[in-house]
C-alpha cells in the first residue's frame, strides 16, 4: 500500500532567485516531515531553476517541474494535479514560513475534521 504525504506544498515560481532558496528551505525544515514540495518553475529566466534543481538534489521530498511561462494560476493548477497529499498548501516564492506552521495547520485540520485551514501572516 502506497503511503501518501500529509501535506503537498506547491510553490509557483517565476524569476525570484533572490528569495527562493530561503522560502524553500523554510519548508524543507518543517517540524512536520511527512510533506512533499512541488516546485513549479514557470519559465524563469534567472537562477531560480538552477536553485530549485540544487535543492531537489538535497531532498527527495522535492519535485521540480520546469515549464513555459503561463502564469501563476496555471502553475498552481499543475501543482494540484501532481499533489499526493492529504492536504494541499501554497507558498509564494518570496515567503518564509514558521518552522512549525504545517504541523500546527495539519493538527488543527485533523482535530476539527476541516477541509480547509488558514493562517495569518506577518510582514518582516
Amino acid at each position: 500500500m502506497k503511503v501518501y504525504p500529509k501535506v503537498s506544498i506547491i510553490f509557483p515560481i517565476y524569476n525570484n532567485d533572490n528569495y527562493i532558496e530561503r522560502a524553500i528551505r523554510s519548508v524543507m525544515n518543517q517540524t512536520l516531515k511527512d510533506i512533499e514540495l512541488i516546485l513549479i518553475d514557470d519559465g524563469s529566466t534567472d537562477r531560480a531553476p538552477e536553485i530549485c534543481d540544487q535543492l531537489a538534489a538535497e531532498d527527495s521530498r522535492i519535485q521540480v517541474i520546469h515549464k513555459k511561462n503561463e502564469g501563476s494560476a496555471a502553475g498552481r493548477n499543475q501543482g494540484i494535479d501532481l499533489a499526493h497529499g492529504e492536504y494541499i498548501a501554497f507558498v509564494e516564492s518570496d515567503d518564509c514560513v514558521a518552522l512549525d506552521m504545517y504541523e500546527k495547520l495539519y493538527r488543527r485540520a485533523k482535530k476539527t475534521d476541516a477541509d480547509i485551514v488558514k493562517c495569518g501572516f506577518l510582514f518582516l
Side-chain angles (χ1 to χ4, degrees):
M1 183 171 110
K2 179 141 173 86
V3 177
Y4 294 103
K6 292 178 177 167
V7 182
S8 296
I9 303 163
I10 301 167
F11 286 82
I13 298 163
Y14 181 74
N15 285 351
N16 207 352
D17 63 356
N18 290 330
Y19 303 102
I20 190 65
E21 184 170 358
R22 182 188 72 169
I24 295 169
R25 286 197 185 279
S26 76
V27 175
M28 289 169 65
N29 295 324
Q30 287 291 298
T31 56
L32 180 66
K33 299 298 183 192
D34 191 6
I35 59 176
E36 70 176 342
L37 292 76
I38 303 171
L39 313 182
I40 306 293
D41 167 38
D42 194 31
S44 296
T45 58
D46 63 359
R47 289 186 52 249
E50 175 187 327
I51 294 166
C52 291
D53 290 340
Q54 177 185 20
L55 295 173
E58 293 178 22
D59 192 326
S60 63
R61 300 173 301 169
I62 298 176
Q63 177 181 4
V64 181
I65 304 299
H66 300 287
K67 60 187 234 28
K68 69 177 184 163
N69 183 265
E70 297 177 300
S72 179
R76 287 174 183 268
N77 287 336
Q78 186 171 7
I80 291 169
D81 290 342
L82 296 169
H84 296 102
E86 188 177 349
Y87 291 94
I88 294 175
F90 296 98
V91 175
E92 298 302 321
S93 59
D94 59 351
D95 288 347
C96 187
V97 301
L99 293 178
D100 61 350
M101 183 176 100
Y102 288 110
E103 183 173 7
K104 287 180 176 178
L105 290 171
Y106 181 79
R107 284 185 182 173
R108 176 62 61 154
K110 296 304 282 184
K111 181 178 181 179
T112 61
D113 196 31
D115 292 329
I116 298 172
V117 291
K118 184 178 173 183
C119 64
F121 63 93
L122 300 172
F123 287 106
L124 300 175

